[in-house]
Amino acid sequence: MGSVSFSFWIWWILAITHIPSMIQIIEARIPESPLQCNQTLCTLYNTYGRWGDRKDCYALNATYPTTEEELRAAVSFAVKHNLKAKVVTRFSHSMPKLACPDQAVQSSFFISTEHYNLQIQIDTANAVVTVDAGVSLRQLIDAVEVAGFSLVVSPYWE
């Protein structure tokens, strides 16, 4: 019994003296927008790191619609000016370069859903939910839970 008590005290003293070095502060942050624009062009970065071909993805300009009307106007503008437009999300999670419109920068255009995330309509009578394209999974889960619903199938990440 004496040896158990002695080893317990040794363990306790070692644990107390090492606690400050074992405590770490971890801070979670939302990633920076993958779409960065300056006066000359916009660059789309991949959240996973570099694109598979190791080349950056550029476009002449980008727009950030907040309503369906603005989204339609952006698509109309791209069609009218013969631009290759691609819709990008606020996280740009794509392994292949599907979000990159074209290598010809002067004929490319980005449409970002970063600010198109205001509307979540829940029709409880018909069990139908309609959301804007930029609504995050966390926003959607929270909204349907308030209405007494849940998602049948959802990924394990937000």
Side-chain angles (χ1 to χ4, degrees):
M1 205 54 94
S3 65
V4 171
S5 176
F6 177 73
S7 63
F8 170 78
W9 285 109
I10 295 294
W11 176 84
W12 186 79
I13 289 170
L14 288 173
I16 293 294
T17 58
H18 287 85
I19 284 178
S21 65
M22 294 181 347
I23 295 175
Q24 295 180 2
I25 297 174
I26 299 171
E27 181 180 348
R29 292 186 218 153
I30 294 175
E32 194 175 300
S33 175
L35 188 55
Q36 302 293 321
C37 298
N38 59 32
Q39 286 78 6
T40 57
L41 57 91
C42 295
T43 306
L44 179 67
Y45 298 98
N46 189 350
T47 299
Y48 292 123
R50 302 287 292 167
W51 298 104
D53 63 359
R54 304 281 188 223
K55 295 178 184 171
D56 288 330
C57 182
Y58 299 108
L60 188 60
N61 205 342
T63 186
Y64 297 81
T66 57
T67 64
E68 186 175 344
E69 202 171 280
E70 289 176 3
L71 179 60
R72 288 175 191 251
V75 172
S76 295
F77 175 84
V79 170
K80 182 178 180 183
H81 293 90
N82 200 26
L83 298 173
K84 294 194 182 202
K86 286 287 184 155
V87 176
V88 297
T89 69
R90 65 177 154 177
F91 297 116
S92 186
H93 293 293
S94 176
M95 295 293 257
K97 220 171 179 178
L98 298 174
C100 198
D102 195 0
Q103 291 303 326
V105 176
Q106 65 276 8
S107 65
S108 301
F109 184 66
F110 288 123
I111 301 173
S112 175
T113 61
E114 187 170 349
H115 303 297
Y116 188 48
N117 61 354
L118 302 174
Q119 195 167 348
I120 301 175
Q121 295 176 340
I122 301 174
D123 178 357
T124 54
N126 295 310
V128 173
V129 178
T130 307
V131 299
D132 286 343
V135 170
S136 71
L137 186 56
R138 172 50 43 205
Q139 289 172 299
L140 178 60
I141 290 171
D142 290 345
V144 297
E145 282 181 350
V146 168
F149 294 110
S150 66
L151 299 180
V152 177
V153 178
S154 67
Y156 62 90
W157 68 87
E158 295 180 16

